[in-house]
Amino acid sequence: MQPVLVPEPENLNIQEMEKLVSSWFNDRPLPQSYIFPPETRPGNHTIPRCNSIPVVDLSKASGHDRTTIVQQILTASREFGFFQVVNHGVSENLVNDTMNVFKEFFELSAEDKAGVYSEDPKRPCRLYTSSPNYDRENVHLWRDNLRHPCHPLEECIKIWPQKPTRYRETVAAYSIEAKKLGLRILEFVSEGLGLSSGFFGDDLSESVILSVNHYPPCPDPSLTLGVPKHCDPNLLTILHQGDIYGLQVFKDGEWIGVEPMHNAFVVNIGLQLQIISNNMLKSAEHRAVTNSKVARTTAAFFISPVDDCIIEPVKSIINTDESPAYRAFSYKEFLLNYIPTTGNSEKSLEPFKLHA
């Protein structure tokens, strides 16, 4: 009897990595498994790129201008659920270096990426394609994703990719600055809501996850999506979308494109912030489209509560003639309900609503 050869884990990973869009996209038509249903695909019509997405200049957030900045952030969070920040204090050189490191990572050989690739959704640091439910999803997403925790940094950095060789040093510096920026924005939000300083600190913002999306050139961008319509489940998202367009936000029944701005971050209100504010702030549905000419790489920091953190509307901001819109729940309970809904905001919120 011939002995059964069991593949080495790395060799097995290299075989599985053939699923990565970046490993096979060249000179191939769009596979049927990536074609979205007509009602959800982007189509050929042009989506207007909106310059009315609010832009907040954080350099003005000192002295007498602070109140103005707080109100700009609060208004944008109510009306759009999205805004961009400029003059945010994060070094442009650091941003550029980090985005280049991410691009270098996706350009590594299969052998160099094999140790990071995993189809186990419980693995904290992993490279995968489409979504965590690849084998069960009806249609695949045109993206590869690198995802790992960033806090506490001294523990998390040990499981990060070791290549490119400057990955850990560069991304560590970047993650510190991204969290600092997120906490600064949350401080403006708490001030605007009339909450105490540091309200969003500790358990409410303790978890920080980095999600790097890589979208290779697509043979037919009208038929597929990089990320489908969804709301983020977390508290706040800090996104660097680079200089290549692809982000769209759903507002007033239509899609609008978020024009990339030089050295800006996109800030996205998550569902937990909508719940805590008792629907005063809005988590906006959004998606990522592809293009046929160039690859696009984006980096999002998801600032989230820890799993056992209890989430509920803040009583002090609810008017006397109003009632809480949601019951209290743990963030883990919310995630367990959110994941099967694939980001559908109404379905994910429904089990937590208090109906009069």
Side-chain angles (χ1 to χ4, degrees):
M1 179 182 291
Q2 291 289 334
V4 177
L5 297 177
V6 179
E8 291 294 323
E10 188 168 297
N11 291 337
L12 183 61
N13 270 5
I14 290 174
Q15 294 171 18
E16 293 172 337
M17 284 173 61
E18 294 176 0
K19 295 176 183 176
L20 291 170
V21 178
S22 53
S23 69
W24 56 260
F25 74 94
N26 275 323
D27 303 319
R28 279 186 58 180
L30 187 68
Q32 184 65 37
S33 59
Y34 285 81
I35 298 177
F36 274 66
E39 66 274 12
T40 56
R41 66 180 64 153
N44 289 312
H45 59 285
T46 302
I47 300 293
R49 299 195 194 182
C50 180
N51 290 319
S52 64
I53 295 284
V55 179
V56 180
D57 184 348
L58 294 183
S59 69
K60 298 179 180 179
S62 59
H64 64 276
D65 287 331
R66 183 180 178 91
T67 302
T68 301
I69 296 301
V70 168
Q71 285 307 310
Q72 286 180 359
I73 289 174
L74 212 61
T75 300
S77 301
R78 281 193 188 114
E79 297 180 2
F80 282 84
F82 264 80
F83 54 94
Q84 300 202 62
V85 292
V86 295
N87 296 322
H88 38 68
V90 184
S91 159
E92 183 175 354
N93 286 338
L94 177 59
V95 173
N96 292 339
D97 286 349
T98 307
M99 296 307 294
N100 286 334
V101 165
F102 292 145
K103 292 172 186 176
E104 288 170 24
F105 171 83
F106 284 101
E107 292 169 356
L108 291 172
S109 67
E111 289 77 11
D112 284 337
K113 289 185 290 191
V116 186
Y117 183 88
S118 175
E119 297 184 3
D120 179 5
K122 294 181 180 179
R123 181 171 171 179
C125 176
R126 70 188 189 107
L127 169 67
Y128 62 94
T129 193
S130 187
S131 82
N133 301 310
Y134 181 91
D135 290 329
R136 299 191 299 276
E137 60 195 12
N138 295 323
V139 59
H140 299 318
L141 308 179
W142 191 266
R143 69 146 185 190
D144 298 330
N145 181 268
L146 172 65
R147 188 181 184 96
H148 61 66
C150 295
H151 189 79
L153 181 58
E154 59 274 12
E155 293 299 320
C156 295
I157 197 171
K158 298 172 185 176
I159 62 170
W160 290 1
Q162 297 184 55
K163 293 182 180 181
T165 53
R166 60 198 183 103
Y167 184 97
R168 293 185 175 183
E169 179 183 1
T170 305
V171 176
Y174 186 62
S175 65
I176 290 170
E177 293 302 312
K179 184 175 183 183
K180 191 186 301 180
L181 173 61
L183 292 177
R184 187 181 177 201
I185 291 167
L186 286 169
E187 188 68 9
F188 291 137
V189 170
S190 65
E191 190 172 325
L193 294 175
L195 303 174
S196 59
S197 177
F199 178 87
F200 290 106
D202 300 327
D203 285 358
L204 276 172
S205 57
E206 186 74 12
S207 174
V208 181
I209 303 292
L210 170 64
S211 177
V212 186
N213 282 321
H214 181 69
Y215 311 96
C218 179
D220 195 339
S222 70
L223 298 178
T224 192
L225 286 167
V227 178
K229 180 180 177 181
H230 70 288
C231 283
D232 289 350
N234 52 299
L235 190 69
L236 195 76
T237 302
I238 305 292
L239 169 73
H240 191 274
Q241 63 167 337
D243 55 2
I244 299 171
Y245 166 73
L247 175 64
Q248 296 179 348
V249 177
F250 197 64
K251 187 179 189 300
D252 299 329
E254 65 178 4
W255 288 105
I256 54 176
V258 181
E259 192 72 44
M261 292 184 64
H262 177 70
N263 197 31
F265 285 100
V266 177
V267 180
N268 175 12
I269 302 301
L271 287 171
Q272 303 313 302
L273 201 44
Q274 176 176 323
I275 292 165
I276 290 169
S277 70
N278 207 45
N279 292 330
M280 187 182 299
L281 308 184
K282 171 187 177 183
S283 182
E285 292 176 310
H286 54 286
R287 69 183 184 185
V289 296
T290 63
N291 71 80
S292 60
K293 296 180 180 178
V294 292
R296 177 173 178 257
T297 303
T298 66
F301 282 90
F302 298 121
I303 299 176
S304 309
V306 296
D307 282 353
D308 60 357
C309 183
I310 300 301
I311 309 296
E312 61 182 328
V314 180
K315 295 178 177 61
S316 64
I317 64 175
I318 301 173
N319 294 328
T320 54
D321 58 344
E322 292 180 334
S323 299
Y326 305 94
R327 65 174 175 85
F329 55 87
S330 71
Y331 185 55
K332 182 177 182 180
E333 181 188 358
F334 184 88
L335 286 179
L336 289 172
N337 182 78
Y338 172 89
I339 292 169
T341 71
T342 60
N344 183 302
S345 59
E346 285 305 310
K347 286 184 179 179
S348 59
L349 289 173
E350 186 60 33
F352 307 99
K353 287 183 177 179
L354 292 173
H355 298 283

